[in-house]
Amino acid sequence: MLSTLSRKMLMCITGLFLSFFLLIHFLGNLQLFLPQEQAHLQFNAYSHFLSGNIIIKIVSYVLYSNIILHALDGLIITLKNKKSGANYQSDQRGRASKWYSRNMGILGTILLIFLVIHFQNFWYVYKFGKPPLDENGNKDLYILVITVFKEWWYVIIYVISMIALCYHLIHGIYSAVRTLGLFHPKFVKWFKTVGIAYSIIISVGFALMPIYVFFTYR
């Protein structure tokens, strides 16, 4: 059985790994903002490279395991806090803490539901479905992404999920730095500012992708 500290450490490590992955994923998806023909060519070449690279495949398994561990660990910590009466909503710390720090479980649940939908629409269809093929005979992930992003309901779900992601990251990065002992009083404002900036840039950037596609590809 893992101790409370060990679970918090696991939560921090998996969370920071996922935060780093988000940055890589974000940079790759920025190609969607390129002119249509260029975006189509580059995005498919990028996705084809990732799907056929053995190192990327290994990293993907690490990613999947991190998502599962992070979600399970978060669930266990939340349930233990509620059982011990230490949950944020009932410990009278509402005035001292932000609402999102008291509702990380809810934010995490929203993100987990989003991931299930996201994986089903893209990862599952790309791996096991019958996506269209491009002129080179490769699976056309670009067309798949554009098709999904043209659905208004998915754009709304995506944007709401990115709002949840933003607050989840703001609190998560701040807590992870403190738990890992990297939080020095002299650098409090610096760590907090960098964490907030990263969270906003990543979340707003991702949210703008389906919005851009929805209003551009009509």
Side-chain angles (χ1 to χ4, degrees):
M1 295 290 290
L2 292 176
S3 66
T4 300
L5 179 59
S6 296
R7 289 199 177 281
K8 287 185 177 180
M9 290 291 288
L10 179 61
M11 176 68 74
C12 293
I13 294 172
T14 54
L16 289 175
F17 175 83
L18 293 174
S19 296
F20 176 72
F21 169 78
L22 279 175
L23 176 60
I24 303 302
H25 189 47
F26 172 75
L27 294 175
N29 282 11
L30 283 177
Q31 296 173 102
L32 293 173
F33 292 114
L34 295 172
Q36 186 172 351
E37 292 186 6
Q38 185 180 359
H40 196 162
L41 178 65
Q42 290 189 199
F43 193 78
N44 276 352
Y46 166 73
S47 61
H48 183 65
F49 167 76
L50 293 182
S51 63
N53 190 297
I54 185 62
I55 296 178
I56 299 300
K57 286 185 177 181
I58 294 174
V59 172
S60 68
Y61 289 123
V62 175
L63 171 65
Y64 306 147
S65 62
N66 268 260
I67 292 175
I68 294 172
L69 285 173
H70 192 75
L72 289 177
D73 203 35
L75 176 62
I76 292 172
I77 290 175
T78 300
L79 292 176
K80 281 192 172 184
N81 285 341
K82 288 187 175 181
K83 186 177 181 180
S84 65
N87 62 70
Y88 288 113
Q89 293 182 347
S90 62
D91 67 0
Q92 306 301 315
R93 285 189 289 174
R95 295 182 180 180
S97 59
K98 301 294 186 180
W99 69 267
Y100 51 82
S101 67
R102 303 192 304 272
N103 294 281
M104 284 293 280
I106 296 176
L107 295 174
T109 300
I110 293 174
L111 293 175
L112 185 59
I113 293 172
F114 167 75
L115 281 176
V116 172
I117 298 173
H118 193 67
F119 270 68
Q120 193 282 325
N121 279 316
F122 298 112
W123 180 85
Y124 182 83
V125 174
Y126 187 78
K127 292 288 185 180
F128 306 107
K130 295 181 179 179
L133 302 179
D134 62 17
E135 59 184 18
N136 296 318
N138 298 319
K139 294 180 180 180
D140 200 334
L141 182 60
Y142 176 80
I143 291 298
L144 179 61
V145 170
I146 297 302
T147 301
V148 174
F149 281 178
K150 288 169 71 176
E151 298 289 343
W152 65 267
W153 60 268
Y154 189 82
V155 175
I156 293 175
I157 291 175
Y158 203 103
V159 171
I160 291 174
S161 299
M162 291 307 101
I163 293 173
L165 174 65
C166 184
Y167 287 115
H168 194 81
L169 284 173
I170 289 174
H171 177 74
I173 294 174
Y174 184 81
S175 296
V177 170
R178 296 190 65 174
T179 300
L180 294 175
L182 304 176
F183 194 89
H184 190 282
K186 183 184 295 186
F187 305 110
V188 170
K189 291 184 178 179
W190 186 83
F191 276 124
K192 192 171 184 179
T193 300
V194 171
I196 291 175
Y198 173 85
S199 303
I200 293 175
I201 291 172
I202 290 293
S203 302
V204 172
F206 271 122
L208 287 175
M209 292 174 189
I211 293 174
Y212 171 78
V213 170
F214 182 80
F215 288 105
T216 302
Y217 295 77
R218 304 297 294 173

